[in-house]
Amino acid sequence: AQSVTQLDSQVPVFEEAPVELRCNYSSSVSVYLFWYVQYPNQGLQLLLKYLSGSTLVKGINGFEAEFNKSQTSFHLRKPSVHISDTAEYFCAVSDNSGYSTLTFGKGTMLLVSP
Amino acid sequence: KAGVTQTPRYLIKTRGQQVTLSCSPISGHRSVSWYQQTPGQGLQFLFEYFSETQRNKGNFPGRFSGRQFSNSRSEMNVSTLELGDSALYLCASSGGTGPADEQFFGPGTRLTVL
């Protein structure tokens, strides 16, 4: 079984500042890693995913994440945030059990203010 | 291409009643998964269907059930509703069934149990 920990429930940041949202996972098998974003009253949208290969993954809206196997982390970063990035962000994992089931972290609310 | 659609978007029920939620996947997608989202427990996997068969099930009581039709549309049913069933129910469809396949989420059905 795997688990995902998002260390910050809320991250306040000023517009145009850089941001990092932290995610750590625990699994006894190889995993695939995902970051999703949820805007108010909407479903989840995939930002980026790590399947294999390069540990630095680039996604939509200027976000990127780095997979660190030794630290079992997959932190999400953006060099300069906008007001429109205000949303909840979820880190998720699936494993190689053959199922597409996602295990999610509790989410991090990113609050961008002017 | 139309996205995942869920109906109804909002639902209010009373304890003891039953409810049926509907999900139409993206055209061509044959895998449908359901997740429950609550403030306390976060996002939790309910079940996954592929070609009308339940492939995987989360840790929920038997009051939660689902099915998938030959056109890949899916329904989930909750019987004998409890206050704790109040949640956002998200449906996701995928073009494959593997752990690396992207899941596309619908906007959800917000269920309130009074």
Side-chain angles (χ1 to χ4, degrees):
Chain A
Q2 58 259 30
S3 65
V4 178
T5 302
Q6 292 184 243
L7 297 162
D8 306 297
S9 59
Q10 215 172 76
V11 172
V13 65
F14 288 109
E15 194 174 20
E16 296 183 10
V19 70
E20 178 180 84
L21 305 184
R22 297 179 292 170
C23 172
N24 287 86
Y25 68 92
S26 171
S27 177
S28 57
V29 298
S30 298
V31 296
Y32 303 100
L33 295 152
F34 305 81
W35 274 99
Y36 282 87
V37 61
Q38 186 176 35
Y39 299 101
N41 298 316
Q42 292 188 30
L44 303 175
Q45 180 184 11
L46 181 68
L47 279 175
L48 47 79
K49 60 183 176 182
Y50 172 78
L51 303 182
S52 65
S54 173
T55 57
L56 182 63
V57 181
K58 293 191 183 297
I60 62 171
N61 301 341
F63 285 94
E64 63 181 33
E66 185 151 22
F67 170 59
N68 188 317
K69 189 174 182 178
S70 62
Q71 296 188 6
T72 60
S73 68
F74 190 53
H75 300 333
L76 181 71
R77 302 185 184 101
K78 186 169 182 178
S80 175
V81 295
H82 302 288
I83 297 284
S84 59
D85 292 324
T86 295
E88 190 147 27
Y89 292 78
F90 293 92
C91 181
V93 302
S94 63
D95 65 25
N96 58 5
S97 64
Y99 297 112
S100 58
T101 305
L102 292 169
T103 300
F104 286 91
K106 289 291 180 74
T108 297
M109 185 68 202
L110 177 62
L111 297 165
V112 183
S113 52
Chain B
K1 217 177 200 182
V4 178
T5 57
Q6 293 187 246
T7 56
R9 289 293 310 277
Y10 300 92
L11 208 47
I12 299 175
K13 293 285 187 179
T14 56
R15 279 180 299 174
Q17 287 187 309
Q18 78 166 21
V19 67
T20 299
L21 313 181
S22 180
C23 170
S24 293
I26 290 172
S27 177
H29 284 191
R30 294 165 62 193
S31 173
V32 173
S33 297
W34 289 88
Y35 292 83
Q36 181 196 63
Q37 185 178 19
T38 60
Q41 299 299 316
L43 282 149
Q44 294 185 287
F45 170 73
L46 281 156
F47 22 66
E48 179 196 352
Y49 287 88
F50 179 79
S51 291
E52 303 178 66
T53 301
Q54 187 179 90
R55 291 187 75 237
N56 197 11
K57 189 177 190 305
N59 189 25
F60 278 82
R63 299 185 298 107
F64 291 82
S65 63
R67 60 177 175 169
Q68 187 180 34
F69 301 95
S70 58
N71 62 357
S72 295
R73 190 177 69 85
S74 177
E75 288 182 347
M76 68 163 280
N77 184 77
V78 188
S79 62
T80 320
L81 284 166
E82 301 177 359
L83 295 178
D85 297 333
S86 293
L88 181 67
Y89 290 88
L90 293 165
C91 167
S93 76
S94 177
T97 57
D101 291 309
E102 181 178 348
Q103 295 193 43
F104 295 82
F105 284 81
T109 294
R110 171 87 51 195
L111 171 65
T112 302
V113 182
L114 302 175

